[in-house]
Each structure stands twice: as C-alpha cells, then as structure tokens.
Amino acid sequence: MTGDDPREESASGEPTTGEPLTDGGAAGADDVALDPWGSSSVSDYRNLFEEFGIEEFDEVLEEVPNPHYLMRRGVIFGHRDYRPVAEALQNDEPAAVLSGFMPTGDPHIGHKLVFDEIIWHQQQGADAYGLIADLEANAARGMSWAEIDEHARDYLLSLLALGFDPEEGELYRQSTNRELQDLAFELGAEANFSEFQAIYGFDGETDVSHMQSVVTQMADILYPQLEEPKPTVIPVGPDQDPHVRLARDLAERMRFFKVSEAYASFELEPDERALVAAFYERLEPEAFDDEQLRCVHVAEALEETPLSEIEADADTLRSVLTKLEEAGMEPVRPRTRFFDRRATDEAFDALIDAIDGEKRVYESHIDAFEIDRAAAEELAREVEVETGGYGFQPPSSIYHRFMTGLTGGKMSSSIPASHISLLDDPEDGYDKVKAATTGGRETAEEQREKGGKADECPVYELYAYLLTGDDDEFAKRVYDECVGGERLCGDCKEQAAQLMKEFLAEHQEKRAEVEDLLEEADIELESPRRR
C-alpha cells in the first residue's frame, strides 16, 4: 500500500494534444502485471483501465473542488471510486486520506508526488494520515530496525516540510500502533492463503511475516474509519492496486449486512437477478388470473422465449428456471434485501426494528418493500455502527504516473543517478539535471525543424510534476516551446537545473525548521524493536 515504490518508471507514447502532459503509454505494449514489491512494471497505463477496472481521473475531475495541479495535468491519471471523496470535500463532510512510506532509502522527488497528494487533501478538509510501513520494510525487504529508523525520520521531515499539519493529522508507524495491529488481526480472519497466492504469487517459500505485513497494510487502509465510516482515499502508484482491491474486498466482508435488490424470497446471483428483472418489466400482472405475477409465470415466459432473445448464457438461464420453478406460486415483487453476513443477534434485531413499512423477516435476511437501495445502505451502516460494528465504506484510491529516471528507464532509489533525493546537496541536484537524458533531437537544427519530444523527456517531467508548481501557464509554455522547436535542450536543462537547485535548497531549509515539530509529534522515532 506504500505509495513510494522505488522502481518508478514511465513509458512514453506519441503526443496526441498540445497540452503539457505525458501520454504515459506505449502503443501496442504487452500485458500489464502489478506487483507491489518490485518485479512488475507498468508499460501501458491505458491497459489498466481495461484489465484492472481503474477509471480515468478526467471523468471525475470536474467534481473535485480546487483540483491539485497533478490532477489538472493528468499526472494523477486514474482512480477507484473517488466520487464519494470528491463529494465529501465539496460538501465539507467527513473524509480522509492516507498513504504509507516504506523507508528503504532516501525520500526522493518521486515520493514528493504522494506527499503532495496527502497534503492537498488535508488542506481541502480531509483527515490526513501518514504512516511509516516499518513492519513491511522489515518483513518484505529485510531492512534492519536501525536503517528503518534513520530513513523514517527523513520521510517524516520532508512530509512536514512540504506542509503536512501534524496537529490536524496523524503520523504513526505500524510497529507501535496497537489499534492498527488489533484491526489487522481481525482482518486476517477474513483472508486466507489461497487468496494471497492468487493476488501476490505467495508460495511455500514466502515467510509468515511477509504475509502478516499484507494484513497490516489492509488495516492501514481501513484505519481512518475506526472512529466512524467515511470516504477515504489512498494515493498510490498503480503497482499498489492489488492492495487496494484486497482492502475493498475485506471492507465488504467485515460488514454486518449486505444490501442488494431481490424479486423473491430466494437468493439470485447478479446475472440471474438481471434476467428476472428484465422479465418482470416485460410481463404485465394484469395478464394473469389474480393479477399477480408469480415465479411460475416468469419461468413459463422464459421457457417460451428463444434463447437468442435472452441476454444470459445457458447456465444462468438453467439456474434461474430451477429456482423459479421450485418457488412455484410465490409472487415476484421487487424489494430491497438486507442479507445477514456476520451480524450479531442484537444487530439483526435492531435492523428489523429500524426498517419502516412492509417487510418480511427470514432466518438470514430481511426483505423491505418501501425503502430504496441507497437509503437501505445508509440504514444498514447506521445500525451496524450503533451495535458495535465498523460499518466500513470501501476505500477509494487515486493513481499517479511513475516518474521516469533521469537517465531514462526506471527511477530507482538504488540508482543514484536516476533520481534526485530530497536530501541531495542542491549543487548535486543541479548537476544531475544537467546530465539528464532528454527528449531532444540529435541536432539543434533538427530540433528547430521538428520540435522536441516533450512526452518522452525526463526533464520535461520535472517541469510538469514539480518545477512549475501550480503555474499551469508556465508548464504549458515549456511544453509548447519544446514541441514547437523554440526551446533547445541545453537552455531547457539549465533552467530546470537552476529551479531544482532552488527547490532543494528551500526544501532543506524547511526540513531544518520543522525538526522541533517532528520531535513534538505523537510518533516514536526509534522503534522499540530495534536491535
């Protein structure tokens, strides 16, 4: 779940607009694989929409109040279910943001993307959480506690220097947060090894601590909702999406009740329910003897309809027919169903009392006929929280593009020349930018004639992601001048190098200024597990 994987990379594509954005995908790229611990790379961001169900952020951008420049420029390119968060921010309702940092090396400019995303959400009114994933660093990367402590301090100082308010937010480390560990224990009862095998490729050689660190990360993602359920966003790189998907599943499994639509007393699978719903709309109750549509009537209509006209496969049709025929003369009526997933007897009884209007109570579910799906979801959550449950909302996520390494390819903490550390001497930062690979042509004459390839240029990324800050006009001017042939790489790198030097100098001054703030923050800087 850490949003700071050290293998950041970006694949380039051909520019399609005059906007100062990187396309982020290579046409015809191979299949995408996502591995939170480092063996995968994202070669085509566009495939993430199709293969993993990530939605395009542009579709929700207009609903975001005061969008951050990373959102406006397409650096934040995708999301899972971000609308509830955007709506909460718009309406000054409770919301939260959380991301974690695995302290395996110095914080660098790639990590700044996540720092900025946390801080922006905090400034928009969300409860903000920054965590040090020290258990993961120890279990998955074999880091010593002494190394972890050293790097953790550096991450926290940079987060504070960039604007995180520790009085309004919370900083913690996994190893010393007992509430988090208790939640992880509960979540572990809802997960199993075969699931970890399918998601992460774990096998018989995977140590138990590594598996425990996954459950701890699931607890991290849900931690902001311990006091109350609320929309929560996790800003990460797309390689962390497996964690988000598992956390959303576990949040659902922890709920007391599942709310769904139904048409009879028995349970239907989603495809089966859609088929029955279609025929419910098609058939007229007045056409039957007692003006009541019954299960047997729907079954007869299905049997009389050519398979080519039914929007379901043969197995679904066969299953639906069996269920309808067994129900016989039971009326078919739309209703909202509250299914008892893991509710206590107290919660089940409280829900029965809370449902107004006509209802039917069964051993494992309640059918209500005068409440819609949205209101039912809210009622089920209220009853759950009132009777001791969590009432978790599925966590949302936003995904940012990886930064290309200054030498091309991956930006890696283990390759000093590929990245700029937030701790680098400003002069060293200047030199690294001056030595960086560019998207320029082979000669100045060709550059003036054909224009540069800003979408393939690590130096342009520095402008778009960091150096131009909130100034979209500046970012667009650099882009247009590059692709229009007016801007040559030497001058462009000189300007970027100077801006990077200034940024590092200012950032490190601010780090020194917030050292006392870190000492006063409610977080242990030295792990008690240190040995």
Side-chain angles (χ1 to χ4, degrees):
M1 187 274 304
T2 50
D4 58 315
D5 189 275
R7 307 162 301 95
E8 288 93 336
E9 67 170 23
S10 173
S12 59
E14 292 301 317
T16 56
T17 71
E19 295 301 310
L21 308 174
T22 53
D23 178 69
D30 294 331
D31 291 342
V32 177
L34 299 179
D35 177 355
W37 293 289
S39 65
S40 69
S41 64
V42 178
S43 56
D44 188 343
Y45 290 103
R46 291 182 298 255
N47 280 355
L48 297 173
F49 303 131
E50 298 177 5
E51 294 192 30
F52 297 99
I54 292 174
E55 300 175 78
E56 296 188 48
F57 196 84
D58 283 350
E59 296 175 358
V60 75
L61 182 60
E62 291 184 358
E63 303 171 40
V64 180
N66 309 311
H68 192 275
Y69 72 81
L70 294 173
M71 298 173 175
R72 300 195 304 265
R73 295 176 193 168
V75 178
I76 295 174
F77 70 92
H79 74 100
R80 278 193 189 280
D81 197 25
Y82 186 70
R83 282 186 174 85
V85 178
E87 183 178 342
L89 296 179
Q90 282 180 334
N91 299 321
D92 294 324
E93 296 173 349
V97 59
L98 174 144
S99 201
F101 308 97
M102 185 160 56
T104 56
D106 290 346
H108 58 62
I109 57 174
H111 303 132
K112 183 180 178 293
L113 299 179
V114 184
F115 293 149
D116 287 344
E117 291 169 64
I118 295 174
I119 293 164
W120 177 86
H121 279 90
Q122 184 180 48
Q123 292 169 345
Q124 304 310 305
D127 298 330
Y129 298 78
L131 70 101
I132 297 299
D134 55 354
L135 292 179
E136 182 185 5
N138 181 262
R141 294 293 177 83
M143 300 284 293
S144 73
W145 292 104
E147 293 172 313
I148 289 169
D149 287 348
E150 177 185 354
H151 294 311
R153 181 182 180 84
D154 287 330
Y155 278 89
L156 293 169
L157 278 174
S158 283
L159 179 61
L160 294 175
L162 290 167
F164 184 91
D165 185 347
E167 294 185 358
E168 295 296 324
E170 180 177 345
L171 302 173
Y172 71 87
R173 55 193 303 160
Q174 292 172 328
S175 63
T176 59
N177 189 324
R178 183 53 191 264
E179 279 189 305
L180 176 82
Q181 293 170 26
D182 289 345
L183 177 58
F185 183 83
E186 291 191 55
L187 294 174
E190 297 295 324
N192 57 63
F193 179 67
S194 62
E195 189 170 36
F196 283 10
Q197 280 183 306
I199 297 172
Y200 302 112
F202 288 170
D203 56 27
E205 299 301 313
T206 305
D207 64 70
V208 174
S209 292
H210 193 170
M211 289 185 277
Q212 287 178 320
S213 77
V214 172
V215 181
T216 302
Q217 289 172 81
M218 300 303 101
D220 286 324
I221 293 172
L222 297 175
Y223 180 74
Q225 299 190 59
L226 279 181
E227 290 189 5
E228 64 170 335
K230 56 192 162 190
T232 301
V233 62
I234 313 299
V236 287
D239 60 331
Q240 302 295 301
D241 184 59
H243 291 325
V244 175
R245 282 181 279 146
L246 177 56
R248 287 174 64 84
D249 286 344
L250 289 175
E252 189 68 23
R253 292 178 214 169
M254 293 292 287
R255 293 296 308 280
F256 281 4
F257 304 101
K258 176 183 178 182
V259 177
S260 63
E261 297 171 347
Y263 286 86
S265 62
F266 50 86
E267 195 69 18
L268 292 169
E269 296 298 325
D271 290 346
E272 298 172 345
R273 189 181 308 121
L275 183 57
V276 171
F279 274 76
Y280 174 83
E281 295 295 334
R282 180 186 304 186
L283 298 174
E284 296 290 341
E286 293 78 8
F288 303 98
D289 292 340
D290 59 357
E291 297 188 351
Q292 178 73 268
L293 182 61
R294 300 181 182 278
C295 290
V296 67
H297 300 148
V298 178
E300 289 170 354
L302 281 167
E303 289 175 328
E304 293 169 0
T305 303
L307 186 58
S308 60
E309 298 178 16
I310 295 177
E311 295 184 3
D313 58 40
D315 289 340
T316 297
L317 176 58
R318 188 179 304 111
S319 176
V320 167
L321 285 172
T322 299
K323 292 177 181 180
L324 290 170
E325 289 166 355
E326 288 177 351
M329 295 300 289
E330 179 182 338
V332 175
R333 295 177 60 196
R335 75 284 305 268
T336 300
R337 173 159 297 160
F338 298 84
F339 184 80
D340 181 356
R341 174 173 276 146
R342 61 198 302 273
T344 61
D345 291 341
E346 177 192 3
F348 194 79
D349 291 341
L351 182 61
I352 295 172
D353 293 340
I355 298 171
D356 293 327
E358 184 183 359
K359 56 196 167 190
R360 298 283 186 275
V361 179
Y362 301 88
E363 183 178 355
S364 60
H365 67 269
I366 307 164
D367 286 352
F369 296 86
E370 299 176 27
I371 185 171
D372 63 29
R373 175 81 176 268
E377 291 277 7
E378 187 59 33
L379 179 62
R381 180 171 283 111
E382 289 176 3
V383 170
E384 178 177 340
V385 172
E386 289 172 359
T387 55
Y390 293 112
F392 289 134
Q393 294 192 23
S396 307
S397 51
I398 52 177
Y399 302 95
H400 56 258
R401 301 173 188 269
F402 292 134
M403 292 189 74
T404 307
L406 298 178
T407 54
K410 300 175 182 179
M411 178 175 288
S412 172
S413 295
S414 61
I415 306 175
S418 77
H419 74 272
I420 295 174
S421 166
L422 295 176
L423 311 183
D424 276 346
D425 183 279
E427 290 292 345
D428 291 339
Y430 174 92
D431 291 340
K432 285 183 179 181
V433 175
K434 288 287 286 184
T437 301
T438 72
R441 305 289 179 173
E442 291 187 6
T443 65
E445 181 179 358
E446 186 181 6
Q447 177 103 343
R448 293 189 180 96
E449 178 185 349
K450 297 180 180 179
K453 301 177 182 178
D455 295 274
E456 301 178 12
C457 182
V459 175
Y460 175 70
E461 282 188 13
L462 294 178
Y463 282 101
Y465 290 29
L466 188 156
L467 299 177
T468 57
D470 200 46
D471 191 342
D472 287 345
E473 290 186 9
F474 182 13
K476 189 174 190 307
R477 184 168 67 251
V478 173
Y479 184 91
D480 289 344
E481 289 176 356
C482 174
V483 299
E486 303 170 49
R487 176 175 284 253
L488 300 182
C489 292
D491 292 340
C492 187
K493 285 206 290 186
E494 174 62 29
Q495 183 182 28
Q498 287 289 351
L499 290 171
M500 182 61 71
K501 179 179 175 180
E502 293 168 11
F503 164 76
L504 289 174
E506 180 182 355
H507 179 67
Q508 288 165 23
E509 286 178 11
K510 289 182 178 178
R511 280 173 54 92
E513 293 171 5
V514 299
E515 283 191 3
D516 289 343
L517 197 60
L518 178 58
E519 295 295 335
E520 296 168 4
D522 187 21
I523 183 172
E524 294 189 48
L525 299 177
E526 290 192 5
S527 170
R529 305 186 184 208
R530 189 168 180 170
R531 58 181 184 274

